[in-house]
Amino acid sequence: MDTTYPHLPVLYQEILTAIQPRPAGRYVDCTLGAGGHALGILEASSPDGQLLGFDLDPAAIEIATERLKGFGTRAILVRASYTGLTDQLKQLNWEAVQGVILDLGVSSMQFDRPERGFSFREDAPLDMRFDPDRGRSAADLLNSLNEVELADILWRYGEERFSRRIARAILANRPVMTTRQLAELVKREYHGKAGHIHPATRTFQALRIAVNSELASLEAVLPQAVAALAGAGRLAVISFHSLEDRIVKQYFQHESQDCICPPEQPVCTCGHRASLKVITRHPLTPSGSELDTNERARSAKLRVAEKL
Ligand SMILES: C[S@@+](CC[C@H](N)C(=O)[O-])C[C@H]1O[C@@H](n2cnc3c(N)ncnc32)[C@H](O)[C@@H]1O
């Protein structure tokens, strides 16, 4: 595997085992990043497997294009949201695919570039958009939403226990424009009560999720991915926090049941039919050796399901 690229794919071997790429197969990588997982899928499906890859970030598309150029037309990379999966497949005339993967969240490339505003390790403008040309930046949200809306974002997407207090402090200190300014402000509201993680971690997570509508996008793509899969095709999702993992777990549970009527109802009226078989009853997590070499893998969870 090429290691000259900055991003180590999380659960790399586990993704390949889950998807089982084979020649002539068609695969979708919804979250290309630096193309690490995509490269593995293309290699394993040689000589003629094909991959459609999505990313919103032009920098990711540029790096993945360079990295995957040796595969020629077998790799089709688009700068677009994976929420357009059904439409993209229609444009390609791909009726069904053998595997779909999602590796959610921010890449280390994005995190390590201060100007993207995802990290408070260095001072930079609060941007946080996966697509830097579209939508509202984190600074934009922080300086325009009201106190209740801000507190709601911090509570719902960061499970931040001091959400109200932090929202109030943001309003009192507007304009909040940089990563350091926000991190320091949050830290002050904690009054030294933070545990082992930096007190601003949850606030940054919450804002990133809100800026990129991450949970809504995940909810929108899961049914499209299942609809796109051929029988016995696999869907593999790597999540990095409990909000994402809960959505995937509940969706897999729901779609693996024949009847979803309330248990007290004697006769089924829902007509629901299972479309998936859950392959991972418990999510897979990185091995000790992966954790030793890749800090980002720390909270990764992989869930896999198979189309019936
Ligand atoms: C964790 S990285 C993926 C890393 C990749 N698996 C690899 O091997 O390098 C997640 C990527 O998904 C992209 N992304 C997030 N939300 C997206 C969306 N709705 N549509 C397309 N790409 C998205 C981000 O820009 C980021 O580059």
Side-chain angles (χ1 to χ4, degrees):
M1 198 183 83
D2 192 344
T3 51
T4 56
Y5 287 87
H7 182 78
L8 282 176
V10 170
L11 291 162
Y12 175 78
Q13 202 48 56
E14 290 82 352
I15 281 283
L16 293 184
T17 305
I19 294 295
Q20 303 171 350
R22 55 174 165 77
R26 283 180 165 160
Y27 301 92
V28 181
D29 182 347
C30 290
T31 50
L32 269 175
H37 288 120
L39 178 80
I41 291 172
L42 283 160
E43 274 175 357
S45 63
S46 287
D48 53 357
Q50 290 176 289
L51 177 129
L52 166 64
F54 289 89
D55 209 296
L56 281 167
D57 186 342
I61 292 290
E62 196 181 319
I63 289 178
T65 301
E66 174 63 24
R67 191 175 196 183
L68 304 176
K69 67 176 184 227
F71 296 100
T73 54
R74 291 178 56 204
I76 301 153
L77 312 187
V78 291
R79 180 184 171 190
S81 172
Y82 56 62
T83 55
L85 175 61
T86 307
D87 290 341
Q88 287 287 345
L89 291 175
K90 210 176 279 169
Q91 280 183 38
L92 289 174
N93 267 327
W94 285 16
E95 273 176 20
V97 300
Q98 279 64 45
V100 178
I101 67 168
L102 286 122
D103 174 13
L104 298 168
V106 64
S107 71
S108 12
M109 282 185 315
Q110 290 164 332
F111 194 78
D112 292 342
R113 294 202 177 142
E115 72 276 14
R116 301 300 298 271
F118 288 106
S119 157
F120 45 81
R121 280 198 307 234
E122 286 179 64
D123 201 17
L126 274 163
D127 191 321
M128 299 196 189
R129 288 171 297 173
F130 290 142
D131 180 343
D133 297 325
R134 228 169 293 163
R136 300 176 73 186
S137 68
D140 212 351
L141 291 188
L142 284 176
N143 296 312
S144 62
L145 297 183
N146 67 37
E147 191 178 315
V148 175
E149 290 167 330
L150 276 177
D152 190 48
I153 286 175
L154 301 183
W155 175 249
R156 278 204 294 157
Y157 301 148
E159 297 173 318
E160 170 54 69
R161 64 191 162 123
F162 296 137
S163 55
R164 288 183 185 194
R165 204 195 278 182
I166 295 170
R168 209 172 308 131
I170 290 169
L171 257 80
N173 287 278
R174 278 178 179 174
V176 179
M177 300 305 289
T178 74
T179 53
R180 276 277 160 78
Q181 193 187 352
L182 179 61
E184 289 300 320
L185 181 155
V186 175
K187 196 170 161 197
R188 278 200 300 277
E189 294 309 308
Y190 260 79
H191 302 300
K193 290 190 204 120
H196 59 285
I197 60 166
H198 189 288
T201 306
R202 289 172 183 281
T203 294
F204 272 64
Q205 172 187 302
L207 276 174
R208 202 200 77 208
I209 292 175
V211 163
N212 297 294
S213 306
E214 289 180 46
L215 303 185
S217 295
L218 176 59
E219 282 168 348
V221 77
L222 291 174
Q224 296 185 49
V226 174
L229 285 173
R234 295 267 179 103
L235 169 60
V237 187
I238 302 176
S239 63
F240 289 88
H241 52 77
S242 56
L243 300 168
E244 287 170 347
D245 185 53
R246 199 174 307 144
I247 290 172
V248 180
K249 179 180 163 182
Q250 289 178 352
Y251 183 75
F252 281 10
Q253 262 168 5
H254 188 266
E255 287 309 311
S256 58
Q257 285 171 41
D258 267 340
C259 167
I260 49 167
C261 291
E264 63 278 8
Q265 196 170 301
V267 180
C268 170
T269 52
C270 69
H272 187 262
R273 287 289 162 263
S275 58
L276 288 180
K277 176 171 93 181
V278 176
I279 302 294
T280 47
R281 223 162 68 80
H282 300 292
L284 302 179
T285 53
S287 63
S289 61
E290 176 166 5
L291 291 174
D292 286 345
T293 53
N294 189 359
E295 165 76 6
R296 189 181 161 261
R298 209 172 3 116
S299 40
K301 284 189 175 146
L302 169 63
R303 291 188 186 269
V304 184
E306 185 175 291
K307 177 86 172 264
L308 289 173

